[in-house]
Amino acid sequence: MEAAPLLKVSKLYKNFGGVQAIQDLNFELVEGELLGLIGPNGSGKTTSVNLITGFVKPTKGEIVFRGQNITGRAPYKIVRLGIARTFQMVKPFYQLPAYKNMIIPLYSPRVKQMTGGKYGDRDAVALDLLEEVGFERDSHVAYKPASVLPQGYLKRLELAKAIALNPDLIILDELFSGLSLAEVASIVPIIEKLRQEGKSIIMIEHRLKELFRIADRVIVLNYGEKIADGKAAEVMESDAVKNAYLGFEA
Amino acid sequence: MGNAELNIGNRKKRRKERIDRGIKARSSDIFALSSWREMLYLAAPRLLPIVGLLVLSVALSVYWQRVLLSVSVFALLAISWDIMAQTGMISLGQALFFGTGAYLSGTMNHYWGWPPYITIPLATIFGGLLCTAFLIPVLRLRGIFFSMVTLVLPLMLVRIIEATRIFGGTEGLSGLTALPSKWVELYVLIIVLLAVLFGFRRMMNSDFGLVLKGINDNDRSVMNAGINIYWFKIQALFIASSIGAFAGAFLTHVYLFVGMPVFALDYSILPIASAVVGGIGTLAGSMLGAFILVPLSEILRGLGGLRIVFYGLFLVVFTVAIPEGIFHYIQRKYHQFERWVEVE
């Protein structure tokens, strides 16, 4: 018998005007699982994340997190329950040093609640968190303004902002996009460490090779519909997936 | 640092390089405390407005002391506008705050006979609460949609007063209680202005201020941190509207009159012009802008009908020449020097 799922999405629909962005999406996520969410461009991956995190309200359907119905709740309330996400387009405060960019998540009521009503020294906590995601302390890179940081560090910063909230579920929206192989290779251990800590993770990715190495399970979306769900190797063998990705029946 | 690149006559490319002055680097260190020069470098920008205002208050003629009062009131409104702008709320209606504060203190004084030292603080707080309550329903609106509402509200209130003849209708309420002396007027206002400037500059540079600026910059990212952006916007709005309401309440007891002109467009537009000329985002820039524009308007008074033409011309020239604002320009010159370097 499996444990109750951490996240349960059932019969989810979203229309944008006449466009069916998401149709009848159903899936469950078990605690500690790393789920990959893949599909061609415009297949509804980011929309499903926006639905789960409350940035977009569903037309129909239900999202349950830890037994609580979170459908259509405000994003900040959903974050407080323990779901954090990163954005595909990173948009830090460019004029501020990297560690000052961490202040906003560290100002979160969720952080206050977890630390017993005290925020503590936010600057020090920010530097610790950034070190965890690979801002080497000796290099003083955390003190540099975000405007001069390479994309790899900006993505790490985005990840650190999510980790700062100590979420149970982390949703990573194309974390690897725009990164070199070496940069991806240096971020993978951070994600694996998060899993060891028992975090559940949903990753939207186009970098399938890197994703398949770490994902327990993969869901494939096409035109807002789930067309496959299972182990990475099995999923890629499915005809529907080949058709969606390659445009013909293999 | 913002390096400007351009082509010079001989087609050789040069660019302007900006480098921090040695004294800036030295005085950011603990060693600054061992040198008078470095300490003065740090203290001068803070001492300047304090000393400047105190000197002005005694050196000016009675007429220009009245102008100083008006300047300080517009400086408060400009700071209030700047706090909202930094939180992502572009207001076209500081007159709403100003007028509400003015009418609240005027009413309390006229009908209930309460003295200014009670009506001004009460009008500040309740004016802030009232204006915040007016604008809460439209806080979800962004950009120009929010601005339009702030522009319309004071104009509506004027018509309500005109049509229903409440609070003295078109006549207004006159014969209000004066402050004890012109020195009390001057120094109360100067102290409040300096406290507002330094206090809220500190606030905007704190972590709380960072969250406010974050809402302006990228509200989704702030929401994504589990922060209720509307609650933070409400707090910023309350602070800004209280500052505006104080300005209105105070001036009511200087003019000894409150009437429909307190909702005039001047109180909405001039603070924005001040912030733009002085430089947005520092509060000090907005204040500086008011200290330039209001006296300028007084000096140009002799020109009669052409006054507004020259005033407008000045505004255009300034915004084209120094689009970043005078304060940012001075601040940069103070901390950095520039030199031309050739680009290979």
Side-chain angles (χ1 to χ4, degrees):
Chain A
M1 187 62 205
E2 275 186 32
L6 181 69
L7 180 78
K8 187 172 178 348
V9 172
S10 30
K11 300 200 178 87
L12 203 61
Y13 284 82
K14 178 67 197 176
N15 305 351
F16 289 113
V19 182
Q20 278 283 353
I22 296 289
Q23 290 183 58
D24 195 22
L25 182 64
N26 297 282
F27 72 89
E28 288 180 4
L29 182 79
V30 186
E31 192 140 18
E33 197 176 19
L34 198 164
L35 174 72
L37 198 55
I38 66 171
N41 285 326
S43 59
K45 304 183 297 291
T46 297
T47 302
S48 28
V49 170
N50 284 341
L51 289 168
I52 295 169
T53 51
F55 282 93
V56 172
K57 301 214 183 319
T59 314
K60 261 198 302 193
E62 198 181 55
I63 304 161
V64 176
F65 179 71
R66 281 204 188 289
Q68 280 193 62
N69 187 348
I70 59 166
T71 323
R73 279 204 203 174
Y76 71 90
K77 288 184 182 157
I78 292 175
V79 174
R80 288 181 196 177
L81 292 175
I83 303 181
R85 70 176 286 188
T86 66
F87 286 100
Q88 194 176 336
M89 302 295 235
V90 293
K91 203 181 158 207
F93 293 121
Y94 284 106
Q95 72 280 19
L96 287 180
Y99 79 99
K100 279 284 176 194
N101 270 277
M102 299 291 296
I103 298 300
I104 289 176
L106 290 176
Y107 212 90
S108 170
R110 178 169 169 86
V111 174
K112 188 177 178 183
Q113 184 191 321
M114 283 180 313
T115 52
K118 272 184 293 189
Y119 287 111
D121 182 355
R122 274 188 285 267
D123 287 354
V125 177
L127 289 169
D128 289 344
L129 281 164
L130 285 175
E131 194 177 20
E132 258 178 58
V133 297
F135 281 67
E136 307 84 0
R137 200 160 281 229
D138 301 336
S139 67
H140 296 290
V141 65
Y143 295 96
K144 288 194 177 143
S147 55
V148 304
L149 292 179
Q151 190 67 12
Y153 276 106
L154 293 180
K155 292 278 191 171
R156 285 160 203 257
L157 178 60
E158 187 72 9
L159 181 60
K161 277 156 76 178
I163 296 174
L165 299 164
N166 193 17
D168 303 318
L169 169 61
I170 305 180
I171 306 179
L172 306 172
D173 193 350
E174 295 204 26
L175 189 68
F176 294 160
S177 70
L179 298 188
S180 70
L181 279 176
E183 282 171 328
V184 171
S186 67
I187 290 184
V188 166
I190 302 167
I191 294 171
E192 279 174 342
K193 190 166 163 257
L194 288 173
R195 295 196 60 193
Q196 281 164 16
E197 289 166 9
K199 310 269 187 220
S200 312
I201 300 171
I202 297 178
M203 286 182 81
I204 293 186
E205 256 329 313
H206 275 301
R207 307 276 287 259
L208 302 185
K209 217 170 156 186
E210 286 92 348
L211 175 68
F212 289 171
R213 254 182 235 143
I214 49 176
D216 300 310
R217 188 158 69 95
V218 174
I219 287 177
V220 189
L221 294 180
N222 195 27
Y223 293 112
E225 279 183 286
K226 185 167 92 171
I227 57 171
D229 184 346
K231 292 246 183 299
E234 296 163 15
V235 160
M236 289 318 278
E237 284 305 308
S238 127
D239 284 345
V241 174
K242 282 183 185 164
N243 188 28
Y245 264 97
L246 304 171
F248 56 85
E249 303 277 352
Chain B
M1 307 243 158
N3 290 328
E5 266 188 50
L6 56 137
N7 270 312
I8 312 296
N10 58 7
R11 314 300 292 164
K12 245 185 193 162
K13 262 194 161 177
R14 297 199 301 166
R15 86 191 155 83
K16 223 182 221 177
E17 191 177 53
R18 295 194 182 118
I19 300 163
D20 281 1
R21 291 183 193 281
I23 193 166
K24 180 174 196 299
R26 285 199 304 280
S27 49
S28 61
D29 213 299
I30 185 80
F31 295 114
L33 296 177
S34 61
S35 149
W36 282 108
R37 206 174 155 253
E38 267 84 352
M39 275 195 271
L40 187 64
Y41 175 85
L42 286 177
R46 290 156 184 86
L47 286 176
L48 191 71
I50 299 172
V51 175
L53 279 172
L54 290 180
V55 169
L56 281 179
S57 67
V58 288
L60 293 175
S61 66
V62 176
Y63 173 76
W64 282 98
Q65 277 177 344
R66 296 292 275 195
V67 176
L68 182 62
L69 281 181
S70 168
V71 169
S72 304
V73 160
F74 277 108
L76 283 172
L77 289 173
I79 288 173
S80 147
W81 184 86
D82 202 348
I83 290 172
M84 286 179 75
Q86 288 189 57
T87 317
M89 298 180 279
I90 301 295
S91 158
L92 297 176
Q94 292 328 92
L96 172 67
F97 310 155
F98 183 84
T100 305
Y103 263 103
L104 278 178
S105 70
T107 308
M108 284 189 275
N109 183 251
H110 184 266
Y111 292 110
W112 303 330
W114 293 0
Y117 63 84
I118 292 175
T119 60
I120 293 176
L122 282 183
T124 303
I125 292 165
F126 285 102
L129 289 174
L130 201 60
C131 295
T132 309
F134 276 141
L135 289 172
I136 280 178
V138 294
L139 269 189
R140 276 167 200 278
L141 300 181
R142 288 197 202 184
I144 193 71
F145 303 103
F146 176 82
S147 308
M148 289 310 294
V149 175
T150 59
L151 178 66
V152 167
L153 274 175
L155 303 178
M156 268 169 47
L157 288 180
V158 170
R159 296 298 154 223
I160 290 173
I161 290 169
E162 191 183 9
T164 61
R165 300 198 184 123
I166 46 168
F167 308 131
T170 48
E171 315 263 294
L173 306 170
S174 46
L176 303 177
T177 314
L179 290 160
S181 79
K182 69 165 190 175
W183 296 109
V184 174
E185 283 174 3
L186 209 49
Y187 287 115
V188 165
L189 192 55
I190 286 175
I191 289 166
V192 169
L193 177 59
L194 289 172
V196 163
L197 173 70
F198 288 115
F200 290 117
R201 247 177 88 86
R202 176 168 276 241
M203 180 192 83
M204 289 313 289
N205 289 328
S206 70
D207 290 351
F208 174 80
L210 200 67
V211 176
L212 295 185
K213 290 177 195 165
I215 294 170
N216 179 30
D217 220 50
N218 186 352
D219 55 353
R220 283 165 65 95
S221 165
V222 178
M223 274 189 250
N224 198 38
I227 290 171
N228 182 355
I229 62 167
Y230 300 109
W231 171 234
F232 279 77
K233 275 189 175 183
I234 287 170
Q235 293 178 63
L237 187 58
F238 173 70
I239 290 167
S241 45
S242 297
I243 296 171
F246 169 83
F250 182 86
L251 216 56
T252 293
H253 288 285
V254 172
Y255 292 160
L256 316 182
F257 165 80
V258 62
M260 285 165 30
V262 294
F263 285 112
L265 217 48
D266 304 29
Y267 296 110
S268 298
I269 300 303
L270 201 56
I272 304 177
S274 302
V276 170
V277 167
I280 301 170
T282 59
L283 306 192
S286 304
M287 175 173 156
L288 181 65
F291 272 78
I292 293 168
L293 289 185
V294 179
L296 182 75
S297 164
E298 283 303 317
I299 293 167
L300 294 178
R301 215 170 261 281
L303 293 172
L306 283 178
R307 170 173 160 235
I308 207 77
V309 176
F310 280 95
Y311 195 66
L313 214 57
F314 174 86
L315 268 181
V316 171
V317 168
F318 241 105
T319 31
V320 171
I322 315 179
E324 60 191 324
I326 300 166
F327 184 80
H328 290 287
Y329 179 82
I330 297 173
Q331 197 177 32
R332 208 180 64 227
K333 293 284 177 198
Y334 189 71
H335 293 307
Q336 299 178 322
F337 64 91
E338 288 168 353
R339 66 178 180 201
W340 288 97
V341 288
E342 273 184 19
V343 183
E344 305 86 60

